[in-house]
Amino acid sequence: MCGIFGLTTNQNKPIGKIALEGIKRLEYRGYDSCGIVCQYESQLLVKKDAGKIEEINKRLKLDEFPSDSKVVLAHTRWATHGPPTKINSHPHLDCNNKIAVVHNGILENFIELKEELQSKGHVFKSETDTEIIPHLIEENMKTNGDLKEAVVNAIKKCKGAYGLAICHADYPDTIIAVRRESPLIVGIEEGETTYCASDIPAFLPYTRNCYILEDDEIAILKAGTVEFYDIYNSDFPKEKQIQHIEWSIDAAEKGGYEHFMLKEIYEEPSALRRTMKISSDSLKKFAEILLSAENIYITAAGTSFYAALAGKFIITKFLGKYIEAIECSEFKTQLINSLEKNAIIIAISQSGETIDLIEAVRWAKKYQPSARIISITNIVGSSITRHSDNIIITQAGPEIGVAATKTYVTQVLTLALIALEIAKLRKIEKEEEIQKYYDALRATPEIIENFLEKNIELIKFIVRNLEKNLNFFFLARGISIATAKEGGLKLKEVACRFIEGYSAAHAKHGPISLVREGYPIIFIAPPDETYERLIGNLMEFKSRGGKIISLVVEDDIKITNLSDITIRIPQPGDMYHSIFSPITFIPALQLLSYYAALEHNFDPDKPLNLAKTVTVH
Ligand code: F6R
């Protein structure tokens, strides 16, 4: 939540423009206010306001700063402390307007620190927790005037989570970056320009060489160089390994699509093909760990949790052992008295930064040191990777739209690939059978391509047909409950409709009482072992007047004949394909949500009140 961008350079660059583009690429992290500070002739020039970046840019010309200024910091905010107003927007400054700070995270002890600073005469303007930091640094600089030491001592007093970038009017080429729990990456064009940002796409047009800051590390950025220190051992610089990022910049641009969400749905086939190439060694390692485990948990948040539900189903089929799925925010509360020794915890996160997940796995390791964390994430070097014993990186590439789309299908695919490794190791299926499952998995990109090619008009027709409806059920049985929940989440977040994604059988124990003439119910109906029973559930809703829209395979007959509208997924109606239907059926629901957002004038890339990376509890 919140995006930070900064750069220091010795080149003649339009730094205001670069900073503006940088925070636009981070807008998925929060978009209720933004600001830019530029250092110029021993002064800090600040522009900031509430609203989305583009609106503010029209008013304030955020890209226009003196052409020979060399240091800039920028921020896009998702409000935590204090509403989204101009005063609460970042950057925040000290009493003398010499020190500027942009922050992502939450300072837990800000009330005590604020009272202490106020008693020393510091005057605060905003309601934010962040504002204490420039004042703390200002106070520390009264002691010996050294910026780095003042920052280190300020940080030692702060409790909580922070990615911070700091500049000072009298330090013409310096940015100081610090992190604990909130991500911060340093990008470098050797000898010319050094960047810092909450996420790599922000500086991807300029460099793919970067350093990933660890907790309690501080980086001193100068134009084209950087030094790293530990906050608790800050006298001597430390060595850090430079990383080269393979992502292409095209992946972080809209490339002719109206929205990132649409582009990322269309990228699903290529994301799946890349993920299919994950090394079989790492898949096999996960498979061996799961085979030797007695107690297995799978945990995640939001969309990643629904990928976990689908993946748990697929893995269990081949593993023959129970896997408990627990939302990461509930993990500790539910297992505080029972997490077993040697438990295996599969942690899934697109960003690798979801704080509730990090806290869950950290707690598990502390409570049961013999527990093993095996993680699936999309982001190399993200926080979850530091807390994991084994990692698999999905190959979705950068996802900018706030609603997760292509990352979901790659997460389910990764779990499916692990499941097939388990099948090979256990030898309970014949080799030819396992190959049929592999063939079905390999066919998923093409099925999605075919679907996207032929069904856009149908999806738009359904959206128009349902235009007046505010409430929906998405119902399913078995593995498709994950699809119902994930499809429902998409429509909720981007089109602001209320959807209950639910078990079709369980829905008669209460929810069915909502159904009246014309109430829309979307049934997810691949031809698996639940199909016949699902027909019974469908009839219960149809006979009460429900409008039935079904997702079925191409040659489906029975459910088609009972439905008002069908969306047909071009895949064979066999068990090999049906078990992977969470991958092939979800694009239909993602597209439905996308066009519903447009129909109701919502920006699908920036759902109300959301941020993509949730780094607060
Ligand atoms: C929904 C969505 C969120 C995330 C959730 C977990 O479209 O994007 O529900 O799935 O915040 O995020 P990660 O996967 O980054 O841990």
Side-chain angles (χ1 to χ4, degrees), residues 222-408:
K222 306 252 183 197
T225 66
V226 57
E227 279 184 351
F228 299 95
Y229 298 85
D230 276 325
I231 287 285
Y232 295 97
N233 179 14
S234 60
D235 289 340
F236 303 102
K238 61 189 276 195
E239 288 291 317
K240 260 183 98 68
Q241 191 72 34
I242 198 158
Q243 308 222 13
H244 185 76
I245 302 300
E246 298 297 339
W247 286 354
S248 107
I249 181 58
D250 299 347
E253 304 285 349
K254 279 193 204 149
Y257 287 86
E258 203 182 333
H259 295 98
F260 279 111
M261 184 177 177
L262 187 63
K263 174 180 180 243
E264 288 159 0
I265 294 170
Y266 274 84
E267 283 174 347
E268 286 176 3
S270 58
L272 288 168
R273 287 191 179 103
R274 284 195 301 276
T275 300
M276 209 81 74
K277 292 186 187 140
I278 289 175
S279 100
S280 64
D281 285 353
S282 45
L283 296 168
K284 193 167 168 207
K285 186 75 207 163
F286 268 52
E288 284 165 353
I289 293 169
L290 295 176
L291 276 168
S292 64
E294 272 180 42
N295 304 100
I296 307 172
Y297 299 90
I298 190 162
T299 185
T303 289
S304 297
F305 184 69
Y306 298 141
L309 290 186
K312 156 192 150 134
F313 205 100
I314 303 170
I315 293 181
T316 309
K317 173 178 167 67
F318 296 102
L319 184 65
K321 286 182 200 172
Y322 179 69
I323 298 178
E324 182 152 1
I326 303 184
E327 286 156 18
C328 55
S329 49
E330 290 298 312
F331 196 83
K332 176 177 167 186
T333 323
Q334 295 206 18
L335 294 173
I336 187 116
N337 298 314
S338 61
L339 183 68
E340 303 86 351
K341 285 194 175 124
N342 302 315
I344 302 298
I345 296 142
I346 312 172
I348 305 181
S349 172
Q350 185 285 126
S351 62
E353 302 292 347
T354 296
I355 193 76
D356 286 337
L357 185 69
I358 306 295
E359 206 168 81
V361 299
R362 273 212 303 240
W363 169 78
K365 269 286 188 195
K366 199 161 164 202
Y367 182 81
Q368 280 304 2
S370 61
R372 188 161 185 161
I373 315 296
I374 61 175
S375 301
I376 296 171
T377 178
N378 193 36
I379 308 292
V380 178
S382 57
S383 296
I384 193 73
T385 61
R386 283 192 296 281
H387 296 290
S388 305
D389 299 288
N390 299 78
I391 308 151
I392 291 180
I393 307 286
T394 53
Q395 300 298 318
E399 188 176 69
I400 312 289
V402 167
T405 52
K406 62 175 175 170
T407 53
Y408 175 78

Side-chain angles (χ1 to χ4, degrees), residues 424-439:
K424 284 197 284 187
L425 289 170
R426 280 189 79 201
K427 297 191 170 74
I428 47 159
E429 304 268 3
K430 287 197 188 111
E431 187 53 37
E432 311 89 78
E433 282 290 292
I434 297 175
Q435 277 318 316
K436 284 186 189 157
Y437 285 109
Y438 272 114
D439 291 344

Side-chain angles (χ1 to χ4, degrees), residues 11-23:
Q11 305 291 299
N12 283 330
K13 282 182 188 273
I15 62 170
K17 188 164 174 278
I18 296 175
L20 178 62
E21 283 167 3
I23 48 169

Side-chain angles (χ1 to χ4, degrees), residues 336-531:
I336 187 116
N337 298 314
S338 61
L339 183 68
E340 303 86 351
K341 285 194 175 124
N342 302 315
I344 302 298
I345 296 142
I346 312 172
I348 305 181
S349 172
Q350 185 285 126
S351 62
E353 302 292 347
T354 296
I355 193 76
D356 286 337
L357 185 69
I358 306 295
E359 206 168 81
V361 299
R362 273 212 303 240
W363 169 78
K365 269 286 188 195
K366 199 161 164 202
Y367 182 81
Q368 280 304 2
S370 61
R372 188 161 185 161
I373 315 296
I374 61 175
S375 301
I376 296 171
T377 178
N378 193 36
I379 308 292
V380 178
S382 57
S383 296
I384 193 73
T385 61
R386 283 192 296 281
H387 296 290
S388 305
D389 299 288
N390 299 78
I391 308 151
I392 291 180
I393 307 286
T394 53
Q395 300 298 318
E399 188 176 69
I400 312 289
V402 167
T405 52
K406 62 175 175 170
T407 53
Y408 175 78
V409 291
T410 59
Q411 288 168 340
V412 180
L413 171 61
T414 307
L415 291 161
L417 288 168
I418 295 167
L420 294 188
E421 284 297 330
I422 292 170
K424 284 197 284 187
L425 289 170
R426 280 189 79 201
K427 297 191 170 74
I428 47 159
E429 304 268 3
K430 287 197 188 111
E431 187 53 37
E432 311 89 78
E433 282 290 292
I434 297 175
Q435 277 318 316
K436 284 186 189 157
Y437 285 109
Y438 272 114
D439 291 344
L441 257 192
R442 282 191 210 102
T444 55
E446 211 181 312
I447 291 166
I448 296 177
E449 273 162 358
N450 288 341
F451 176 79
L452 293 175
E453 206 182 300
K454 296 188 195 120
N455 288 279
I456 301 300
E457 288 313 315
L458 171 67
I459 299 285
K460 287 184 183 168
F461 164 79
I462 296 173
V463 164
R464 284 195 299 274
N465 200 271
L466 299 176
E467 188 236 343
K468 299 231 159 30
N469 294 92
L470 287 172
N471 303 305
F472 297 75
F473 279 128
F474 280 27
L475 300 182
R477 296 182 77 119
I479 193 170
S480 298
I481 293 174
T483 311
K485 286 186 182 291
E486 172 55 12
L489 176 63
K490 285 295 88 86
L491 195 54
K492 255 181 217 152
E493 62 182 324
V494 303
C496 295
R497 268 45 210 152
F498 183 77
I499 296 97
E500 186 85 280
Y502 217 74
S503 144
H506 211 193
K508 62 177 157 301
H509 297 275
I512 199 167
S513 71
L514 289 169
V515 175
R516 306 279 183 281
E517 194 63 34
Y519 193 106
I521 303 142
I522 298 193
F523 279 88
I524 324 295
D528 61 15
E529 66 287 356
T530 68
Y531 184 85

Side-chain angles (χ1 to χ4, degrees), residues 69-124:
S69 43
K70 302 287 183 218
V71 172
V72 68
L73 296 180
H75 187 267
T76 178
R77 179 170 187 243
W78 187 86
T80 58
H81 293 56
T85 59
K86 176 173 180 173
I87 289 288
N88 289 331
S89 315
H90 298 214
H92 290 284
L93 274 62
D94 65 324
C95 296
N96 294 313
N97 296 337
K98 286 280 182 189
I99 303 162
V101 173
V102 290
H103 172 210
N104 166 28
I106 287 187
L107 300 178
E108 285 161 10
N109 57 340
F110 84 103
I111 295 174
E112 301 91 287
L113 291 173
K114 191 167 180 175
E115 283 167 1
E116 192 185 316
L117 287 159
Q118 279 169 328
S119 72
K120 290 179 182 163
H122 290 263
V123 178
F124 287 79

